[in-house]
Amino acid sequence: MEVEILPVTTFEQNCTLLWCVQTRRAAIIDPGGEAERIAALIEHLGLEPERILLTHGHLDHVGASAELAQRYAIPIQGPHAEDGFLLQALPEQARLFGFPPQVALTPDRWLQSGERIAVGAEQIEVIHCPGHTPGHLVFYHLPSRLAMVGDVIFRGSIGRTDLAGGDHRRLIDSIRNRLFPLGDDVRFIPGHGPVSTLGEERRFNPFVRD
């Protein structure tokens, strides 16, 4: 499995392209905006998108989803259904943060913890990690020890819990009891900022360290 990270929008949100080396079939994870830039990178890499995966329902993670889904005739999958209220509020989110106009979004399929999603010949696991939002998901590829964690955890920090549906206690529980058990060597791509490892955060992140 290979990955490419493209920060998009003024929020510098990490849109991740994840693809199977054998087939070049790809998942677009959290296309937060700037659909043309994302499409240009897909074409440059010679990828064949087969699905869009959303970690959660905030605008900066989903803003280009509908446009890319239509462009490539692919489904939008995720997040967990508990984030439905956020996807229905996308027009309001766009007005609030000065993004281009948005319409409410309903994915082709909500995802559940424990599901496995095909990306070409590879499989990625779905892990429900609520706290930043109620329906936040993490996507984990076991063979490469790589997790796409959205806004659950960052290098040296954690996701906000002061937004609609946020819950600090649930967020800390998700990190300590659902992510850290994956192993210290697991690398993760956060929704914003640089890549880190779960071990580094377990040891040094002031919000969740041992």
Side-chain angles (χ1 to χ4, degrees):
M1 191 74 83
E2 296 287 343
V3 296
E4 187 80 15
I5 302 169
L6 179 65
V8 295
T9 83
T10 56
F11 287 79
E12 291 289 295
Q13 186 273 322
N14 289 330
C15 173
T16 300
L17 302 178
L18 179 74
W19 70 93
C20 167
V21 175
Q22 178 182 343
T23 64
R24 308 296 292 180
R25 293 179 69 83
I28 308 170
I29 301 176
D30 285 0
E34 301 185 85
E36 289 301 323
R37 287 185 63 217
I38 296 170
L41 181 58
I42 289 169
E43 292 164 17
H44 173 73
L45 294 170
L47 304 179
E48 182 182 351
E50 62 180 351
R51 67 188 77 249
I52 293 168
L53 297 175
L54 302 179
T55 61
H56 65 291
H58 285 154
L59 174 62
D60 58 324
H61 290 254
V62 310
S65 298
E67 183 175 348
L68 291 170
Q70 182 176 26
R71 179 176 189 140
Y72 294 108
I74 56 176
I76 299 171
Q77 298 179 331
H80 188 281
E82 287 189 54
D83 268 14
F85 76 102
L86 291 171
L87 295 179
Q88 292 304 304
L90 285 176
E92 181 181 349
Q93 291 187 52
R95 288 192 297 270
L96 183 62
F97 293 106
F99 273 58
Q102 293 279 322
V103 298
L105 175 68
T106 299
D108 295 281
R109 186 160 72 89
W110 304 106
L111 296 176
Q112 301 288 333
S113 199
E115 288 192 62
R116 296 187 181 276
I117 306 297
V119 179
E122 302 281 353
Q123 297 279 324
I124 57 176
E125 181 182 351
V126 178
I127 305 171
H128 184 207
C129 289
H132 177 64
T133 67
H136 200 300
L137 300 177
V138 164
F139 300 111
Y140 177 52
H141 183 243
L142 174 61
S144 61
R145 310 289 285 163
L146 177 68
M148 281 61 64
V149 301
D151 286 355
V152 173
I153 189 169
F154 307 104
R155 179 183 287 181
S157 189
I158 57 174
R160 293 177 61 174
T161 55
D162 60 335
L163 303 172
D167 186 316
H168 183 76
R169 181 194 60 78
R170 292 185 82 190
L171 180 65
I172 298 302
D173 179 75
S174 290
I175 294 168
R176 288 181 172 161
N177 297 318
R178 303 187 187 195
L179 292 186
F180 283 173
L182 297 176
D184 283 357
D185 64 320
V186 170
R187 293 180 301 131
F188 68 83
I189 299 172
H192 308 265
V195 173
S196 185
T197 68
L198 294 179
E200 286 293 305
E201 303 313 309
R202 185 181 59 77
R203 289 188 292 271
F204 302 116
N205 189 314
F207 298 94
V208 288
R209 65 188 177 195
D210 291 344

